[in-house]
Amino acid sequence: MRVKRIAVLGSTGTIGKKALEIIYQYPDRFKLKAIACWSNIRELEKQIRRFDPKIVAVGDVQAAKNFKTKKKLFIGQDGIDSIASLGDVDIVLIAINTTSALSSVLAALKSGKDVALANKEALAMAGSVIMQTAKKHNAQVLPIDSEQSAIWQCLQGHDKSLLRRVYLTASGGSLYRVAASRFANLTKKEVLAHPRWKMGAKITVDSATLMNKALEIIEAMWLFGLNFEQIKVLVHPEAIIHSMVEFVDGSIIAQLAVTDMRLPIQYALGYPQRFNSKQNIDFLKLGSLHFDKPDLKRFQCLMLGYEAAKTGGSLPCVLNASDEVAVNAFLKDKIPFLAIPEVIEKVMRKHKVIKNPDLDSLYRIDNWARIKTQELLCRF
Ligand code: MG
């Protein structure tokens, strides 16, 4: 078996760190070629010592000024994109947690590399461009997001035309059992206390608002060529079933595993191989699994997401950009929790949807939505 040469973008984040451990653990299968981070120099230095990549990139120009290394160093967003298109790399794992991942995704695909994608914001902003670019350059987008990985795994060996629908499961996030009357006064700590997954701050807030699920609907539509109507969201608090697919004959296949991102990362990097691991589910301890309808009244972001996914065109781009700005403001204690759906909705209403936007239009719309959101946030 040929060793896969890998570049990890966003190496200092939650997924990036796990990916480096996996690559290190299987030296006969993977070789780490390059890593890139935005500004966490301290963690980056540790990673260079431990994992010894040949090439390194730092996105933040200011942070790069105080950084000395004997490795080949690239700086800035262009620097990260250069790592995404290095000659001797087979898979680019992209775990950058903002929409800025888009340029790296496109750089990697244009140079014919498979992209193991943990970022959903880029697909929400420009899914059509990403999928077209992948097709044109004969490259694959390999999902890392646990729900998408589940759908991908369930589809193996099946004809996609026989698919009736998919069930996208949601743990429900930190607010699943919190009454609507409490939402106006929620603290950041409450919102960030996710019961099942340990993740970065932005995605944890998105899980609390269920915007994460909204983005995953859009993600699934692009990755698997699905219509909005084919995707059903199912709250499943145990988060053991990571998603399910239903075929035309009514047969349903689910993927189950413990909540550990190592598995989807390993699957994306090793595909189509599977590796030994100690993970297993104790069904007797688990006892039962539960399912529930998502509450669209309490979680308006999901409602807005349904609208964006159904409408398509440039609306998902607006939803995504506005959410990123609003969540950032919430994390900086500038706005209350309920302002997040409020401003996103207002920005969506102000936007005139374009049906088939090209990349330039999407960048323009993304920028417009960020400015509009910022303006509205100032009123809080
Ligand atoms: Mg997910």
Side-chain angles (χ1 to χ4, degrees), residues 57-162:
V58 174
D60 187 76
V61 178
Q62 214 51 41
K65 277 185 184 156
N66 308 313
F67 173 57
K68 301 258 175 302
T69 181
K70 291 196 175 93
K71 303 285 179 190
K72 189 168 182 189
L73 175 68
F74 291 96
I75 294 171
Q77 182 65 53
D78 290 349
I80 295 184
D81 294 352
S82 307
I83 285 210
S85 45
L86 285 173
D88 54 352
V89 164
D90 305 303
I91 300 181
V92 183
L93 187 149
I94 300 185
I96 296 165
N97 64 357
T98 61
T99 314
S100 66
L102 178 61
S103 66
S104 306
V105 172
L106 294 175
L109 293 172
K110 276 181 191 160
S111 41
K113 298 182 194 317
D114 290 341
V115 169
L117 190 60
N119 170 292
K120 57 196 84 174
E121 286 83 355
L123 275 173
M125 175 178 167
S128 63
V129 180
I130 290 174
M131 298 319 283
Q132 278 164 21
T133 308
K135 199 171 169 198
K136 187 172 164 196
H137 298 274
N138 209 9
Q140 295 185 81
V141 181
L142 314 164
I144 286 182
D145 195 359
S146 62
E147 294 78 359
Q148 317 298 343
S149 177
I151 297 169
W152 185 33
Q153 293 181 52
C154 293
L155 284 173
Q156 293 304 309
H158 293 279
D159 186 343
K160 233 165 49 183
S161 67
L162 299 176

Side-chain angles (χ1 to χ4, degrees), residues 210-219 301-302 305-306 309 319:
L210 292 193
M211 179 58 89
N212 185 51
K213 218 41 63 179
L215 295 176
E216 284 176 0
I217 293 173
I218 300 162
E219 195 184 11
C301 283
L302 183 59
Y306 282 173
L319 175 91

Side-chain angles (χ1 to χ4, degrees), residues 14 18 194 196-200 204 261:
T14 318
K18 284 202 162 130
H194 197 286
R196 299 280 171 212
W197 296 97
K198 279 196 179 31
M199 308 176 286
T204 307
M261 285 307 291

Side-chain angles (χ1 to χ4, degrees), residues 254-321:
Q255 188 258 342
L256 289 73
V258 292
T259 47
D260 184 342
M261 285 307 291
R262 288 178 59 92
L263 197 143
I265 296 169
Q266 241 167 263
Y267 190 74
L269 292 180
Y271 176 80
Q273 303 291 327
R274 288 186 183 272
F275 305 162
N276 287 333
S277 115
K278 292 198 171 56
Q279 294 172 343
N280 74 316
I281 296 175
D282 186 340
F283 281 101
L284 298 179
K285 222 182 205 168
L286 207 60
S288 52
L289 299 177
H290 296 84
F291 304 97
D292 201 356
K293 239 190 345 216
D295 179 349
L296 296 172
K297 277 213 182 93
R298 256 187 324 155
F299 300 105
Q300 283 162 32
C301 283
L302 183 59
M303 195 69 186
L304 296 171
Y306 282 173
E307 184 188 331
K310 208 169 166 176
T311 310
S314 54
L315 202 54
C317 172
V318 172
L319 175 91
N320 172 68

